[in-house]
Amino acid sequence: MKKINQIILIVIIIIVCGFGLRGKISGEKFDSEKWKTADLELEDNWSLRWDMMNSLRNNNNLIGMSKSEIIILLGKPDESFSTKNTFRYYLGYTHTGINTGSLILMFNNGIVSEVSVWQG
């Protein structure tokens, strides 16, 4: 009985660690030049930005950055879905069926005040 309890405890620890690391393990290290210059029409790049997303968020404090700093880091936002106070960047396929993602940056007085990732 003691062995079964130990096995259950180990499984629970693994599950908890998995949830704790979720979103922290990046599929691709963020590279500003790759992000800005990737041809997202090429099959090899369909999920490149999505794969860099965790590294971007974990290693760059986007909140508090100015619009010009964001443009230097990520390039110009998608014009058709961006406004004066919102920048949207297409992230490509999310590896969950045919879902795609977007990075949305909200600005208050020209400074990033909120960062969200949309998937659908």
Side-chain angles (χ1 to χ4, degrees), residues 7-41:
I7 292 171
I8 291 172
L9 181 63
I10 291 171
V11 169
I12 290 172
I13 290 171
I14 291 171
I15 290 170
V16 168
C17 288
F19 279 114
L21 291 174
R22 194 173 141 231
K24 301 293 183 199
I25 300 173
S26 176
E28 176 94 20
K29 185 174 182 194
F30 175 74
D31 181 314
S32 180
E33 287 308 309
K34 269 184 169 179
W35 176 285
K36 292 187 282 190
T37 60
D39 181 355
L40 300 177
E41 298 296 319

Side-chain angles (χ1 to χ4, degrees), residues 15-91:
I15 290 170
V16 168
C17 288
F19 279 114
L21 291 174
R22 194 173 141 231
K24 301 293 183 199
I25 300 173
S26 176
E28 176 94 20
K29 185 174 182 194
F30 175 74
D31 181 314
S32 180
E33 287 308 309
K34 269 184 169 179
W35 176 285
K36 292 187 282 190
T37 60
D39 181 355
L40 300 177
E41 298 296 319
L42 295 177
E43 187 174 349
D44 288 345
N45 295 337
W46 282 353
S47 64
L48 178 67
R49 284 184 175 179
W50 181 263
D51 294 340
M52 288 186 193
M53 197 58 239
N54 286 326
S55 175
L56 169 65
R57 289 188 298 181
N58 292 334
N59 299 317
N60 296 276
N61 190 8
L62 300 176
I63 292 181
M65 293 179 83
S66 68
K67 286 183 180 181
S68 60
E69 290 173 318
I70 292 294
I71 291 172
I72 289 168
L73 183 67
L74 302 177
K76 292 184 180 182
D78 301 339
E79 290 180 18
S80 57
F81 295 102
S82 296
T83 66
K84 178 182 174 191
N85 293 318
T86 305
F87 280 6
R88 177 188 173 270
Y89 292 90
Y90 177 69
L91 298 176

